[in-house]
Amino acid sequence: NAGVTQTPKFRVLKTGQSMTLLCAQDMNHEYMYWYRQDPGMGLRLIHYSVGEGTTAKGEVPDGYNVSRLKKQNFLLGLESAAPSQTSVYFCASSSLIKEETQYFGPGTRLLVL
Amino acid sequence: AQKITQTQPGMFVQEKEAVTLDCTYDTSDPSYGLFWYKQPSSGEMIFLIYQGSYDQQNATEGRYSLNFQKARKSANLVISASQLGDSAMYFCAMREFSTGNQFYFGTGTSLTVIP
């Protein structure tokens, strides 16, 4: 049981480049989330999904897009990366039955130059 | 206004002693949940404990307990019998149920357990 996995683990981008972060969970969870973690600011919710085919904005959605085409995957896209998007990105998932408990992936470190 | 406030950027505790990590929250939603997560230096986020706003009793999970004072809007984490492996960042978080799945995290407290 892998839990929540994230791909890639680390990435360097140039300003204006695009990329997609992949989150996958094998726990059949309904809810999935994308956060960013910046020094001194804790985690902030970017987007989330309450089920396949649905997404919603979190606290800091600007500059990001997401898709949940399959229940087990939640993709985070950066169409035109900016240095302000340098951060550590965490994906999490939770079940409908015990939705208060989120399981986190290991994180993706993104550096935008 | 900050939804979650953790005023202790760093804390030290002697091994085997108890320690309290402070957390206050701000919400007008009558239905909410409070969480604590641990983040070791390896980076992963580990769920520790949960308290619902309507729960009558304070939550406990092994050596972790949540001191929930609703009127004061505080949700302090108490770790009893500290171990060296407890050294980590600790984050308090809140979910407001009326806004769906919005989660808010505090800035964290770095705990160091001294042998």
Side-chain angles (χ1 to χ4, degrees), chain B residues 4 11 24 36 40-41 44 63 75 78 82-84 90 109:
Chain B
I4 297 287
M11 290 280 286
T24 57
W36 278 92
S41 57
E44 73 270 30
R63 294 186 299 110
V78 180
S82 297
Q83 302 171 355
L84 295 178
Y90 289 81
T109 294

Side-chain angles (χ1 to χ4, degrees), chain A residues 31 33 35 37 40-43 45 48 50 57-59 90 94 99-102 104-106, chain B residues 35 37 39 42-47 50 91 95 97 99-108:
Chain A
Y31 301 139
Y33 314 82
Y35 293 90
Q37 184 177 28
M41 297 195 70
L43 276 75
L45 184 63
Y48 64 95
V50 299
K57 293 180 180 180
E59 189 182 356
F90 284 97
S94 61
E99 57 184 311
E100 68 271 11
T101 305
Q102 292 186 72
F104 281 81
Chain B
F35 308 75
Y37 288 87
Q39 187 177 40
S42 51
E44 73 270 30
M45 294 288 288
I46 303 167
F47 167 77
Y50 167 79
F91 292 94
R95 177 185 171 194
F97 289 104
T99 61
N101 280 37
Q102 293 280 3
F103 277 87
Y104 301 95
F105 280 75
T107 53

Side-chain angles (χ1 to χ4, degrees), chain B residues 5-10 22-24 107-109:
Chain B
T5 302
Q6 293 180 254
T7 57
Q8 307 156 314
D22 295 340
C23 173
T24 57
T107 53
T109 294

